[in-house]
Amino acid sequence: MDKFVIRGGNPLVGTIRVGGAKNAALPAMAASILTEEPVILENIPDVRDIQTERSLLVSMGAEVELGYGRASHRTTLCCRNLVNPEAAYELVKTMRASTLVLGPLVARMGRARVSLPGGCAIGARPIDLHIKGLEKLGAQITQEHGYIEASADRLRGGHITFDKITVTGTEDLMMAATLAEGETLMENCAREPEVADLAALLNKMGARIEGAGTSTIRIHGVEKLHGARHRIIPDRIEAGTFVIAGALTGGDLIVANCDPLHLGALLEKLQECGVKVRTNGESVRVIADSQLRAADVSTEEYPGFPTDMQAQYMTLATQAEGTSVVTENIFENRFMHAQELVRMGANIKVEGSRAVVRGKTPLSSAAVQCSDLRASASLVIAALVADGVLSPMAKPFSIASTTLIAAMSVLKKNCVALARRSGASAKCFRVEPPHR
Ligand code: EPZ
C-alpha cells in the first residue's frame, strides 16, 4: 500500500503555474480517432490518465507520441491504421473516461466494442445517456458480457435532448455527430469549458459545430475530418485546488497560467469566506490574511460551483468560523473524504447529500485513506494546516498511487519552487514515496 508523509504548517507564498486540463486532454486524444491524419496537441498534462488513454489508443492500432518535457508538451496522435475498435475492461476499469472512444469509433469505423465502466468511488455513474444518444444517431447497440457492441454503416443526424446534463456524454455524442449524415441538434448539453475546448479542436479538424459552451449545440455532419494542431486549456480544477491551498494556509499565492473566467463560482465563494482574490489576465492571486468565514455551497453543473472542487472546499470550511453546509448535487457518493477529515479532528456531519461543517476546529495529523483524485487533494491540503506529520494512504483498489504521486509531486514541486522564491525552507512540505 502506498503512502505519503506530509509536514505542513507554513503559508504558501509565491507563484505556481498550472498545467493543461486532464478533462480536456482526454476527449481531445479520443477525437484523434475521427481522422486518419495526425493530430498535434499541446499542453498535455503529465498525469497517469494520459498514459492510460495512450495505451487504449495504441491497443487499437494508433501511433501516439507523448511529448512531456518537449516544447509545450507537444503530443502527436495518428489513427490512420485503427485495426481493433475495442476498449478492453482492463483499461476502462482504471479510467472511466475511456468510454469517450465509443462515439468516435462508431462514427469513423462503423463499429465499436467498449467495456462498461462499472461502479466508481463517487457514484454509480452509468453511461445510459451516451448509448441513448448514439441510438438516436442510428447506431445499433447491444450489450453482452459487460461490453457495449455498437455498429452503424454511417451515423445520421438526429435530435438529442439529454435527460440529465452530462459532460462526457455531450463530448462523446458531439464527436460522433461530426461524421454523421446531416444535422444533429443537441439540447440540455453540458457547458463546461472542456466541452467548448473539444469543439474548438474538432472545428480545426474540419467539423462544423456551433453553440459549444451553451446548452444547445448544432453539428452539421461532414464526410471526412483532417489533422489539426491544438493547445489544451489550463486545468481549472488544479488551479482551484491551489487557490484553496493558498487561502487555507493564510498565504499570498499567485496561481498562473490559468483562466480566471473558468473559476468564477469558486472565486466568488472564496470572497464570501473573506479571502482576497485578484485576477489578472491568466493568473489569480489569493491573499488570506484574515480569519476565514463560513459559507454554504451547492455543487452544480458549469458555470455553477464544480463538484470537482467540493472536497477541497470542505477542507477549507473546517478552518472557517461558523457553520457551512456543503450540498453535493452531481454525484450520490462524494463525501468519502468527510470521515477522513473527521479523523483529523474536523467537525462534519453527513446527512444524505448534505454535509454540515462546523468550524474552526484545529486539525491534527492522522493516517487517512484516499478514495478518489479530488478527495486525495482535499486531504493533502488538510495536511498543510494540520499539526504533526500526516500520511494519506491510497486505497489499493480505488486510486492508483501514481495519480496521487502525480498530484502530490506537482504540489511538492510547486511548494519547493514556492519556498525557493519566498526564501522559506522546503521543509514546509515533504513527500516520501512508499518503502518498497
Ligand atoms: C466529468 O465526468 C468529469 N470527468 C468528472 O471529473 C466531473 O466530476 C464530472 O464530469 C462532473 O463535472 C471527465 O471529464 C473525464 P457526468 P462525467 O456525465 O462526464 C449522471 C475528475 O475528478 N449520468 O457529467 O462522467 C452521472 O451519474 C472527474 O476529474 C447518467 O446518469 O460526469 C452523474 O450523476 C470525476 N447517465 C451526472 O449524470 C449518463 O449516461 C453527471 O455526470 C451519464 C451521466
Side-chain angles (χ1 to χ4, degrees), residues 22-23 26 96-97 100 122 124-130 164-169 171 192 236 307-308 330-332 334 373-374:
K22 168 182 79 75
N23 290 348
L26 296 172
R96 312 181 55 77
L100 278 164
I122 63 177
R125 302 183 72 181
I127 57 167
D128 56 316
L129 301 176
H130 298 231
K164 214 174 178 179
I165 294 176
T166 160
V167 177
T168 51
E171 293 166 343
E192 271 65 5
R236 62 193 168 97
T307 173
D308 292 350
I330 307 294
F331 293 109
E332 64 276 18
R334 201 166 204 180
L373 182 59
R374 311 306 173 182

PDB file of all heavy atoms in Angstrom, residues 22-23 26 96-97 100 122 124-130 164-169 171 192 236 307-308 330-332 334 373-374, ligand 1:
ATOM      1  N   LYS A  22      -6.693  17.915 -17.546  1.00  0.00           N
ATOM      2  CA  LYS A  22      -6.863  16.467 -17.754  1.00  0.00           C
ATOM      3  C   LYS A  22      -8.177  16.200 -18.476  1.00  0.00           C
ATOM      4  O   LYS A  22      -8.243  15.443 -19.449  1.00  0.00           O
ATOM      5  CB  LYS A  22      -6.850  15.734 -16.406  1.00  0.00           C
ATOM      6  CG  LYS A  22      -7.307  14.282 -16.468  1.00  0.00           C
ATOM      7  CD  LYS A  22      -7.318  13.629 -15.100  1.00  0.00           C
ATOM      8  CE  LYS A  22      -8.492  13.957 -14.241  1.00  0.00           C
ATOM      9  NZ  LYS A  22      -9.739  13.279 -14.627  1.00  0.00           N
ATOM     10  N   ASN A  23      -9.256  16.870 -18.034  1.00  0.00           N
ATOM     11  CA  ASN A  23     -10.586  16.577 -18.582  1.00  0.00           C
ATOM     12  C   ASN A  23     -10.856  17.241 -19.929  1.00  0.00           C
ATOM     13  O   ASN A  23     -11.936  17.096 -20.489  1.00  0.00           O
ATOM     14  CB  ASN A  23     -11.655  16.956 -17.558  1.00  0.00           C
ATOM     15  CG  ASN A  23     -11.618  16.010 -16.373  1.00  0.00           C
ATOM     16  OD1 ASN A  23     -10.958  14.963 -16.424  1.00  0.00           O
ATOM     17  ND2 ASN A  23     -12.288  16.368 -15.303  1.00  0.00           N
ATOM     18  N   LEU A  26      -8.200  14.376 -22.334  1.00  0.00           N
ATOM     19  CA  LEU A  26      -8.703  13.023 -22.601  1.00  0.00           C
ATOM     20  C   LEU A  26      -9.664  12.992 -23.800  1.00  0.00           C
ATOM     21  O   LEU A  26      -9.454  12.221 -24.740  1.00  0.00           O
ATOM     22  CB  LEU A  26      -9.339  12.437 -21.343  1.00  0.00           C
ATOM     23  CG  LEU A  26      -8.375  12.219 -20.167  1.00  0.00           C
ATOM     24  CD1 LEU A  26      -9.118  11.822 -18.905  1.00  0.00           C
ATOM     25  CD2 LEU A  26      -7.317  11.174 -20.520  1.00  0.00           C
ATOM     26  N   ARG A  96     -12.617   5.717 -16.304  1.00  0.00           N
ATOM     27  CA  ARG A  96     -13.953   5.758 -16.901  1.00  0.00           C
ATOM     28  C   ARG A  96     -13.968   6.548 -18.197  1.00  0.00           C
ATOM     29  O   ARG A  96     -14.728   6.266 -19.118  1.00  0.00           O
ATOM     30  CB  ARG A  96     -14.932   6.451 -15.968  1.00  0.00           C
ATOM     31  CG  ARG A  96     -14.910   6.006 -14.542  1.00  0.00           C
ATOM     32  CD  ARG A  96     -15.939   6.770 -13.799  1.00  0.00           C
ATOM     33  NE  ARG A  96     -17.210   6.609 -14.440  1.00  0.00           N
ATOM     34  CZ  ARG A  96     -17.945   5.503 -14.326  1.00  0.00           C
ATOM     35  NH1 ARG A  96     -17.499   4.523 -13.592  1.00  0.00           N
ATOM     36  NH2 ARG A  96     -19.086   5.373 -14.920  1.00  0.00           N
ATOM     37  N   ALA A  97     -13.118   7.572 -18.275  1.00  0.00           N
ATOM     38  CA  ALA A  97     -13.122   8.430 -19.468  1.00  0.00           C
ATOM     39  C   ALA A  97     -12.759   7.651 -20.724  1.00  0.00           C
ATOM     40  O   ALA A  97     -12.906   8.149 -21.844  1.00  0.00           O
ATOM     41  CB  ALA A  97     -12.168   9.596 -19.258  1.00  0.00           C
ATOM     42  N   LEU A 100     -15.026   7.512 -23.756  1.00  0.00           N
ATOM     43  CA  LEU A 100     -15.106   8.597 -24.741  1.00  0.00           C
ATOM     44  C   LEU A 100     -14.710   8.145 -26.141  1.00  0.00           C
ATOM     45  O   LEU A 100     -14.874   8.873 -27.108  1.00  0.00           O
ATOM     46  CB  LEU A 100     -14.196   9.750 -24.314  1.00  0.00           C
ATOM     47  CG  LEU A 100     -14.759  10.713 -23.283  1.00  0.00           C
ATOM     48  CD1 LEU A 100     -13.659  11.553 -22.664  1.00  0.00           C
ATOM     49  CD2 LEU A 100     -15.806  11.621 -23.925  1.00  0.00           C
ATOM     50  N   ILE A 122     -17.239   7.509  -6.372  1.00  0.00           N
ATOM     51  CA  ILE A 122     -18.099   8.665  -6.116  1.00  0.00           C
ATOM     52  C   ILE A 122     -19.545   8.462  -6.557  1.00  0.00           C
ATOM     53  O   ILE A 122     -20.400   9.343  -6.338  1.00  0.00           O
ATOM     54  CB  ILE A 122     -17.528   9.955  -6.758  1.00  0.00           C
ATOM     55  CG1 ILE A 122     -17.460   9.862  -8.281  1.00  0.00           C
ATOM     56  CG2 ILE A 122     -16.179  10.296  -6.159  1.00  0.00           C
ATOM     57  CD1 ILE A 122     -16.968  11.150  -8.944  1.00  0.00           C
ATOM     58  N   ALA A 124     -22.615   5.704  -8.993  1.00  0.00           N
ATOM     59  CA  ALA A 124     -22.881   4.628  -9.972  1.00  0.00           C
ATOM     60  C   ALA A 124     -22.340   5.017 -11.349  1.00  0.00           C
ATOM     61  O   ALA A 124     -21.709   4.209 -12.038  1.00  0.00           O
ATOM     62  CB  ALA A 124     -24.387   4.390 -10.060  1.00  0.00           C
ATOM     63  N   ARG A 125     -22.520   6.197 -11.728  1.00  0.00           N
ATOM     64  CA  ARG A 125     -22.018   6.791 -12.987  1.00  0.00           C
ATOM     65  C   ARG A 125     -22.323   5.928 -14.212  1.00  0.00           C
ATOM     66  O   ARG A 125     -21.402   5.505 -14.924  1.00  0.00           O
ATOM     67  CB  ARG A 125     -20.530   7.095 -12.884  1.00  0.00           C
ATOM     68  CG  ARG A 125     -20.186   8.031 -11.736  1.00  0.00           C
ATOM     69  CD  ARG A 125     -18.731   8.385 -11.694  1.00  0.00           C
ATOM     70  NE  ARG A 125     -18.343   9.292 -12.767  1.00  0.00           N
ATOM     71  CZ  ARG A 125     -17.084   9.726 -12.940  1.00  0.00           C
ATOM     72  NH1 ARG A 125     -16.139   9.300 -12.126  1.00  0.00           N
ATOM     73  NH2 ARG A 125     -16.785  10.563 -13.901  1.00  0.00           N
ATOM     74  N   PRO A 126     -23.593   5.670 -14.504  1.00  0.00           N
ATOM     75  CA  PRO A 126     -23.926   4.884 -15.702  1.00  0.00           C
ATOM     76  C   PRO A 126     -23.590   5.682 -16.971  1.00  0.00           C
ATOM     77  O   PRO A 126     -23.334   6.876 -16.898  1.00  0.00           O
ATOM     78  CB  PRO A 126     -25.450   4.724 -15.566  1.00  0.00           C
ATOM     79  CG  PRO A 126     -25.893   5.927 -14.794  1.00  0.00           C
ATOM     80  CD  PRO A 126     -24.770   6.224 -13.833  1.00  0.00           C
ATOM     81  N   ILE A 127     -23.574   5.046 -18.147  1.00  0.00           N
ATOM     82  CA  ILE A 127     -23.385   5.773 -19.414  1.00  0.00           C
ATOM     83  C   ILE A 127     -24.597   5.556 -20.325  1.00  0.00           C
ATOM     84  O   ILE A 127     -24.494   5.561 -21.551  1.00  0.00           O
ATOM     85  CB  ILE A 127     -22.068   5.396 -20.107  1.00  0.00           C
ATOM     86  CG1 ILE A 127     -21.974   3.890 -20.373  1.00  0.00           C
ATOM     87  CG2 ILE A 127     -20.868   5.866 -19.311  1.00  0.00           C
ATOM     88  CD1 ILE A 127     -20.834   3.537 -21.323  1.00  0.00           C
ATOM     89  N   ASP A 128     -25.769   5.387 -19.696  1.00  0.00           N
ATOM     90  CA  ASP A 128     -27.009   5.153 -20.473  1.00  0.00           C
ATOM     91  C   ASP A 128     -27.306   6.299 -21.433  1.00  0.00           C
ATOM     92  O   ASP A 128     -27.820   6.079 -22.539  1.00  0.00           O
ATOM     93  CB  ASP A 128     -28.184   4.942 -19.495  1.00  0.00           C
ATOM     94  CG  ASP A 128     -28.336   6.122 -18.540  1.00  0.00           C
ATOM     95  OD1 ASP A 128     -27.297   6.598 -18.019  1.00  0.00           O
ATOM     96  OD2 ASP A 128     -29.461   6.598 -18.343  1.00  0.00           O
ATOM     97  N   LEU A 129     -26.957   7.535 -21.062  1.00  0.00           N
ATOM     98  CA  LEU A 129     -27.262   8.675 -21.932  1.00  0.00           C
ATOM     99  C   LEU A 129     -26.361   8.693 -23.169  1.00  0.00           C
ATOM    100  O   LEU A 129     -26.758   9.171 -24.232  1.00  0.00           O
ATOM    101  CB  LEU A 129     -27.145   9.987 -21.147  1.00  0.00           C
ATOM    102  CG  LEU A 129     -28.068  10.080 -19.916  1.00  0.00           C
ATOM    103  CD1 LEU A 129     -27.820  11.380 -19.152  1.00  0.00           C
ATOM    104  CD2 LEU A 129     -29.536   9.957 -20.321  1.00  0.00           C
ATOM    105  N   HIS A 130     -25.134   8.150 -23.041  1.00  0.00           N
ATOM    106  CA  HIS A 130     -24.258   8.027 -24.215  1.00  0.00           C
ATOM    107  C   HIS A 130     -24.914   7.067 -25.211  1.00  0.00           C
ATOM    108  O   HIS A 130     -25.012   7.330 -26.416  1.00  0.00           O
ATOM    109  CB  HIS A 130     -22.888   7.457 -23.833  1.00  0.00           C
ATOM    110  CG  HIS A 130     -22.081   8.280 -22.865  1.00  0.00           C
ATOM    111  ND1 HIS A 130     -20.779   8.630 -23.096  1.00  0.00           N
ATOM    112  CD2 HIS A 130     -22.373   8.776 -21.644  1.00  0.00           C
ATOM    113  CE1 HIS A 130     -20.296   9.303 -22.075  1.00  0.00           C
ATOM    114  NE2 HIS A 130     -21.244   9.414 -21.187  1.00  0.00           N
ATOM    115  N   LYS A 164     -30.360  14.397 -18.504  1.00  0.00           N
ATOM    116  CA  LYS A 164     -29.541  14.945 -17.416  1.00  0.00           C
ATOM    117  C   LYS A 164     -28.309  15.565 -18.058  1.00  0.00           C
ATOM    118  O   LYS A 164     -27.844  15.060 -19.077  1.00  0.00           O
ATOM    119  CB  LYS A 164     -29.099  13.748 -16.557  1.00  0.00           C
ATOM    120  CG  LYS A 164     -28.970  14.001 -15.104  1.00  0.00           C
ATOM    121  CD  LYS A 164     -28.672  12.676 -14.404  1.00  0.00           C
ATOM    122  CE  LYS A 164     -28.505  12.952 -12.924  1.00  0.00           C
ATOM    123  NZ  LYS A 164     -28.249  11.761 -12.160  1.00  0.00           N
ATOM    124  N   ILE A 165     -27.775  16.632 -17.503  1.00  0.00           N
ATOM    125  CA  ILE A 165     -26.574  17.246 -18.094  1.00  0.00           C
ATOM    126  C   ILE A 165     -25.394  16.329 -17.833  1.00  0.00           C
ATOM    127  O   ILE A 165     -25.119  15.955 -16.686  1.00  0.00           O
ATOM    128  CB  ILE A 165     -26.336  18.646 -17.488  1.00  0.00           C
ATOM    129  CG1 ILE A 165     -27.468  19.580 -17.891  1.00  0.00           C
ATOM    130  CG2 ILE A 165     -24.985  19.204 -17.924  1.00  0.00           C
ATOM    131  CD1 ILE A 165     -27.402  20.962 -17.275  1.00  0.00           C
ATOM    132  N   THR A 166     -24.714  15.929 -18.912  1.00  0.00           N
ATOM    133  CA  THR A 166     -23.566  15.032 -18.770  1.00  0.00           C
ATOM    134  C   THR A 166     -22.398  15.571 -19.584  1.00  0.00           C
ATOM    135  O   THR A 166     -22.534  15.823 -20.783  1.00  0.00           O
ATOM    136  CB  THR A 166     -23.882  13.591 -19.193  1.00  0.00           C
ATOM    137  OG1 THR A 166     -22.660  12.907 -19.464  1.00  0.00           O
ATOM    138  CG2 THR A 166     -24.748  13.515 -20.428  1.00  0.00           C
ATOM    139  N   VAL A 167     -21.246  15.709 -18.952  1.00  0.00           N
ATOM    140  CA  VAL A 167     -20.066  16.285 -19.614  1.00  0.00           C
ATOM    141  C   VAL A 167     -19.542  15.334 -20.698  1.00  0.00           C
ATOM    142  O   VAL A 167     -19.539  15.657 -21.887  1.00  0.00           O
ATOM    143  CB  VAL A 167     -18.959  16.614 -18.600  1.00  0.00           C
ATOM    144  CG1 VAL A 167     -17.718  17.149 -19.311  1.00  0.00           C
ATOM    145  CG2 VAL A 167     -19.447  17.626 -17.572  1.00  0.00           C
ATOM    146  N   THR A 168     -19.141  14.130 -20.295  1.00  0.00           N
ATOM    147  CA  THR A 168     -18.576  13.226 -21.316  1.00  0.00           C
ATOM    148  C   THR A 168     -19.652  12.730 -22.274  1.00  0.00           C
ATOM    149  O   THR A 168     -19.358  12.423 -23.429  1.00  0.00           O
ATOM    150  CB  THR A 168     -17.852  12.031 -20.663  1.00  0.00           C
ATOM    151  OG1 THR A 168     -18.720  11.427 -19.704  1.00  0.00           O
ATOM    152  CG2 THR A 168     -16.560  12.454 -20.006  1.00  0.00           C
ATOM    153  N   GLY A 169     -20.913  12.714 -21.835  1.00  0.00           N
ATOM    154  CA  GLY A 169     -21.996  12.356 -22.752  1.00  0.00           C
ATOM    155  C   GLY A 169     -22.094  13.381 -23.888  1.00  0.00           C
ATOM    156  O   GLY A 169     -22.181  13.026 -25.067  1.00  0.00           O
ATOM    157  N   GLU A 171     -19.700  15.359 -24.887  1.00  0.00           N
ATOM    158  CA  GLU A 171     -18.472  15.269 -25.694  1.00  0.00           C
ATOM    159  C   GLU A 171     -18.518  14.060 -26.641  1.00  0.00           C
ATOM    160  O   GLU A 171     -18.224  14.188 -27.839  1.00  0.00           O
ATOM    161  CB  GLU A 171     -17.253  15.177 -24.760  1.00  0.00           C
ATOM    162  CG  GLU A 171     -17.011  16.448 -23.952  1.00  0.00           C
ATOM    163  CD  GLU A 171     -16.048  16.272 -22.793  1.00  0.00           C
ATOM    164  OE1 GLU A 171     -15.785  15.120 -22.379  1.00  0.00           O
ATOM    165  OE2 GLU A 171     -15.565  17.295 -22.270  1.00  0.00           O
ATOM    166  N   GLU A 192     -19.492  22.971 -19.793  1.00  0.00           N
ATOM    167  CA  GLU A 192     -18.143  23.042 -19.218  1.00  0.00           C
ATOM    168  C   GLU A 192     -17.135  23.555 -20.250  1.00  0.00           C
ATOM    169  O   GLU A 192     -17.270  23.247 -21.445  1.00  0.00           O
ATOM    170  CB  GLU A 192     -17.727  21.651 -18.713  1.00  0.00           C
ATOM    171  CG  GLU A 192     -18.096  21.318 -17.271  1.00  0.00           C
ATOM    172  CD  GLU A 192     -19.563  21.231 -16.950  1.00  0.00           C
ATOM    173  OE1 GLU A 192     -20.414  21.333 -17.893  1.00  0.00           O
ATOM    174  OE2 GLU A 192     -19.900  21.089 -15.754  1.00  0.00           O
ATOM    175  N   ARG A 236      -8.689  23.990 -14.754  1.00  0.00           N
ATOM    176  CA  ARG A 236      -9.350  24.881 -13.780  1.00  0.00           C
ATOM    177  C   ARG A 236      -9.485  24.214 -12.423  1.00  0.00           C
ATOM    178  O   ARG A 236      -9.523  24.878 -11.380  1.00  0.00           O
ATOM    179  CB  ARG A 236     -10.724  25.305 -14.315  1.00  0.00           C
ATOM    180  CG  ARG A 236     -11.705  24.187 -14.534  1.00  0.00           C
ATOM    181  CD  ARG A 236     -12.911  24.611 -15.343  1.00  0.00           C
ATOM    182  NE  ARG A 236     -13.663  23.446 -15.755  1.00  0.00           N
ATOM    183  CZ  ARG A 236     -14.733  22.973 -15.116  1.00  0.00           C
ATOM    184  NH1 ARG A 236     -15.181  23.590 -14.049  1.00  0.00           N
ATOM    185  NH2 ARG A 236     -15.351  21.884 -15.541  1.00  0.00           N
ATOM    186  N   THR A 307     -18.402  20.225  -8.804  1.00  0.00           N
ATOM    187  CA  THR A 307     -18.329  19.092  -7.872  1.00  0.00           C
ATOM    188  C   THR A 307     -16.875  18.677  -7.640  1.00  0.00           C
ATOM    189  O   THR A 307     -16.526  18.202  -6.577  1.00  0.00           O
ATOM    190  CB  THR A 307     -19.148  17.901  -8.405  1.00  0.00           C
ATOM    191  OG1 THR A 307     -18.929  16.762  -7.570  1.00  0.00           O
ATOM    192  CG2 THR A 307     -18.745  17.511  -9.816  1.00  0.00           C
ATOM    193  N   ASP A 308     -16.005  18.896  -8.656  1.00  0.00           N
ATOM    194  CA  ASP A 308     -14.595  18.507  -8.509  1.00  0.00           C
ATOM    195  C   ASP A 308     -13.824  19.424  -7.562  1.00  0.00           C
ATOM    196  O   ASP A 308     -12.645  19.193  -7.315  1.00  0.00           O
ATOM    197  CB  ASP A 308     -13.901  18.490  -9.880  1.00  0.00           C
ATOM    198  CG  ASP A 308     -14.430  17.372 -10.777  1.00  0.00           C
ATOM    199  OD1 ASP A 308     -15.172  16.515 -10.268  1.00  0.00           O
ATOM    200  OD2 ASP A 308     -14.125  17.381 -11.974  1.00  0.00           O
ATOM    201  N   ILE A 330     -24.342  16.498  -7.758  1.00  0.00           N
ATOM    202  CA  ILE A 330     -23.996  15.802  -9.013  1.00  0.00           C
ATOM    203  C   ILE A 330     -23.788  14.301  -8.806  1.00  0.00           C
ATOM    204  O   ILE A 330     -24.333  13.478  -9.532  1.00  0.00           O
ATOM    205  CB  ILE A 330     -22.726  16.424  -9.641  1.00  0.00           C
ATOM    206  CG1 ILE A 330     -22.877  17.938  -9.803  1.00  0.00           C
ATOM    207  CG2 ILE A 330     -22.396  15.754 -10.982  1.00  0.00           C
ATOM    208  CD1 ILE A 330     -23.940  18.384 -10.800  1.00  0.00           C
ATOM    209  N   PHE A 331     -23.013  13.926  -7.784  1.00  0.00           N
ATOM    210  CA  PHE A 331     -22.739  12.503  -7.552  1.00  0.00           C
ATOM    211  C   PHE A 331     -23.305  12.064  -6.204  1.00  0.00           C
ATOM    212  O   PHE A 331     -23.270  12.824  -5.243  1.00  0.00           O
ATOM    213  CB  PHE A 331     -21.232  12.222  -7.618  1.00  0.00           C
ATOM    214  CG  PHE A 331     -20.660  12.413  -8.995  1.00  0.00           C
ATOM    215  CD1 PHE A 331     -19.827  13.492  -9.272  1.00  0.00           C
ATOM    216  CD2 PHE A 331     -20.971  11.539 -10.031  1.00  0.00           C
ATOM    217  CE1 PHE A 331     -19.309  13.693 -10.552  1.00  0.00           C
ATOM    218  CE2 PHE A 331     -20.462  11.726 -11.308  1.00  0.00           C
ATOM    219  CZ  PHE A 331     -19.630  12.805 -11.567  1.00  0.00           C
ATOM    220  N   GLU A 332     -23.796  10.835  -6.164  1.00  0.00           N
ATOM    221  CA  GLU A 332     -24.529  10.401  -4.974  1.00  0.00           C
ATOM    222  C   GLU A 332     -23.646   9.912  -3.841  1.00  0.00           C
ATOM    223  O   GLU A 332     -24.131   9.659  -2.733  1.00  0.00           O
ATOM    224  CB  GLU A 332     -25.573   9.332  -5.344  1.00  0.00           C
ATOM    225  CG  GLU A 332     -25.018   8.019  -5.882  1.00  0.00           C
ATOM    226  CD  GLU A 332     -24.715   8.012  -7.361  1.00  0.00           C
ATOM    227  OE1 GLU A 332     -24.593   9.113  -7.957  1.00  0.00           O
ATOM    228  OE2 GLU A 332     -24.568   6.910  -7.921  1.00  0.00           O
ATOM    229  N   ARG A 334     -20.209  11.290  -2.882  1.00  0.00           N
ATOM    230  CA  ARG A 334     -18.949  12.051  -2.976  1.00  0.00           C
ATOM    231  C   ARG A 334     -18.587  12.758  -1.670  1.00  0.00           C
ATOM    232  O   ARG A 334     -18.174  13.930  -1.666  1.00  0.00           O
ATOM    233  CB  ARG A 334     -19.012  13.057  -4.140  1.00  0.00           C
ATOM    234  CG  ARG A 334     -17.625  13.465  -4.569  1.00  0.00           C
ATOM    235  CD  ARG A 334     -17.547  14.187  -5.909  1.00  0.00           C
ATOM    236  NE  ARG A 334     -16.203  14.021  -6.463  1.00  0.00           N
ATOM    237  CZ  ARG A 334     -15.791  14.524  -7.623  1.00  0.00           C
ATOM    238  NH1 ARG A 334     -16.626  15.234  -8.347  1.00  0.00           N
ATOM    239  NH2 ARG A 334     -14.568  14.307  -8.044  1.00  0.00           N
ATOM    240  N   LEU A 373      -9.409  11.043  -6.773  1.00  0.00           N
ATOM    241  CA  LEU A 373      -8.414  12.089  -7.009  1.00  0.00           C
ATOM    242  C   LEU A 373      -8.682  13.360  -6.197  1.00  0.00           C
ATOM    243  O   LEU A 373      -7.811  13.884  -5.527  1.00  0.00           O
ATOM    244  CB  LEU A 373      -8.424  12.412  -8.511  1.00  0.00           C
ATOM    245  CG  LEU A 373      -7.441  13.447  -9.010  1.00  0.00           C
ATOM    246  CD1 LEU A 373      -6.009  13.054  -8.701  1.00  0.00           C
ATOM    247  CD2 LEU A 373      -7.619  13.637 -10.530  1.00  0.00           C
ATOM    248  N   ARG A 374      -9.924  13.850  -6.244  1.00  0.00           N
ATOM    249  CA  ARG A 374     -10.225  15.127  -5.592  1.00  0.00           C
ATOM    250  C   ARG A 374     -10.272  14.979  -4.074  1.00  0.00           C
ATOM    251  O   ARG A 374      -9.898  15.893  -3.338  1.00  0.00           O
ATOM    252  CB  ARG A 374     -11.526  15.697  -6.133  1.00  0.00           C
ATOM    253  CG  ARG A 374     -11.646  15.736  -7.648  1.00  0.00           C
ATOM    254  CD  ARG A 374     -10.512  16.450  -8.364  1.00  0.00           C
ATOM    255  NE  ARG A 374     -10.611  16.309  -9.818  1.00  0.00           N
ATOM    256  CZ  ARG A 374      -9.727  16.805 -10.682  1.00  0.00           C
ATOM    257  NH1 ARG A 374      -8.654  17.432 -10.247  1.00  0.00           N
ATOM    258  NH2 ARG A 374      -9.888  16.637 -11.977  1.00  0.00           N
TER     259      ARG A 374
HETATM  260  C1  EPZ B   1     -16.977  14.512 -15.957  1.00  0.00           C
HETATM  261  O1  EPZ B   1     -17.398  13.188 -15.622  1.00  0.00           O
HETATM  262  C2  EPZ B   1     -15.581  14.672 -15.347  1.00  0.00           C
HETATM  263  N1  EPZ B   1     -14.692  13.684 -15.927  1.00  0.00           N
HETATM  264  C3  EPZ B   1     -15.664  14.476 -13.831  1.00  0.00           C
HETATM  265  O2  EPZ B   1     -14.378  14.724 -13.266  1.00  0.00           O
HETATM  266  C4  EPZ B   1     -16.627  15.501 -13.253  1.00  0.00           C
HETATM  267  O3  EPZ B   1     -16.803  15.255 -11.874  1.00  0.00           O
HETATM  268  C5  EPZ B   1     -17.999  15.368 -13.952  1.00  0.00           C
HETATM  269  O4  EPZ B   1     -17.861  15.488 -15.371  1.00  0.00           O
HETATM  270  C6  EPZ B   1     -18.972  16.448 -13.494  1.00  0.00           C
HETATM  271  O5  EPZ B   1     -18.467  17.710 -13.694  1.00  0.00           O
HETATM  272  C7  EPZ B   1     -14.173  13.921 -17.159  1.00  0.00           C
HETATM  273  O6  EPZ B   1     -14.430  14.915 -17.812  1.00  0.00           O
HETATM  274  C8  EPZ B   1     -13.235  12.888 -17.695  1.00  0.00           C
HETATM  275  P1  EPZ B   1     -21.296  13.446 -15.989  1.00  0.00           P
HETATM  276  P2  EPZ B   1     -18.670  12.537 -16.349  1.00  0.00           P
HETATM  277  O7  EPZ B   1     -21.622  12.516 -17.085  1.00  0.00           O
HETATM  278  O8  EPZ B   1     -18.816  13.086 -17.694  1.00  0.00           O
HETATM  279  C9  EPZ B   1     -25.111  11.061 -14.446  1.00  0.00           C
HETATM  280  C10 EPZ B   1     -12.417  14.249 -12.017  1.00  0.00           C
HETATM  281  O9  EPZ B   1     -12.204  14.207 -10.783  1.00  0.00           O
HETATM  282  N2  EPZ B   1     -25.082  10.359 -15.737  1.00  0.00           N
HETATM  283  O10 EPZ B   1     -21.380  14.897 -16.284  1.00  0.00           O
HETATM  284  O11 EPZ B   1     -18.559  11.070 -16.160  1.00  0.00           O
HETATM  285  C11 EPZ B   1     -23.885  10.748 -13.583  1.00  0.00           C
HETATM  286  O12 EPZ B   1     -24.038   9.563 -12.867  1.00  0.00           O
HETATM  287  C12 EPZ B   1     -13.719  13.640 -12.584  1.00  0.00           C
HETATM  288  O13 EPZ B   1     -11.643  14.745 -12.834  1.00  0.00           O
HETATM  289  C13 EPZ B   1     -26.079   9.440 -16.020  1.00  0.00           C
HETATM  290  O14 EPZ B   1     -26.966   9.192 -15.204  1.00  0.00           O
HETATM  291  O15 EPZ B   1     -19.845  13.097 -15.431  1.00  0.00           O
HETATM  292  C14 EPZ B   1     -23.804  11.981 -12.689  1.00  0.00           C
HETATM  293  O16 EPZ B   1     -24.661  11.845 -11.609  1.00  0.00           O
HETATM  294  C15 EPZ B   1     -14.533  12.978 -11.532  1.00  0.00           C
HETATM  295  N3  EPZ B   1     -26.038   8.789 -17.221  1.00  0.00           N
HETATM  296  C16 EPZ B   1     -24.285  13.092 -13.623  1.00  0.00           C
HETATM  297  O17 EPZ B   1     -25.021  12.473 -14.669  1.00  0.00           O
HETATM  298  C17 EPZ B   1     -25.057   9.046 -18.168  1.00  0.00           C
HETATM  299  O18 EPZ B   1     -25.054   8.435 -19.240  1.00  0.00           O
HETATM  300  C18 EPZ B   1     -23.173  13.935 -14.225  1.00  0.00           C
HETATM  301  O19 EPZ B   1     -22.196  13.068 -14.725  1.00  0.00           O
HETATM  302  C19 EPZ B   1     -24.069   9.991 -17.855  1.00  0.00           C
HETATM  303  C20 EPZ B   1     -24.096  10.642 -16.637  1.00  0.00           C
END
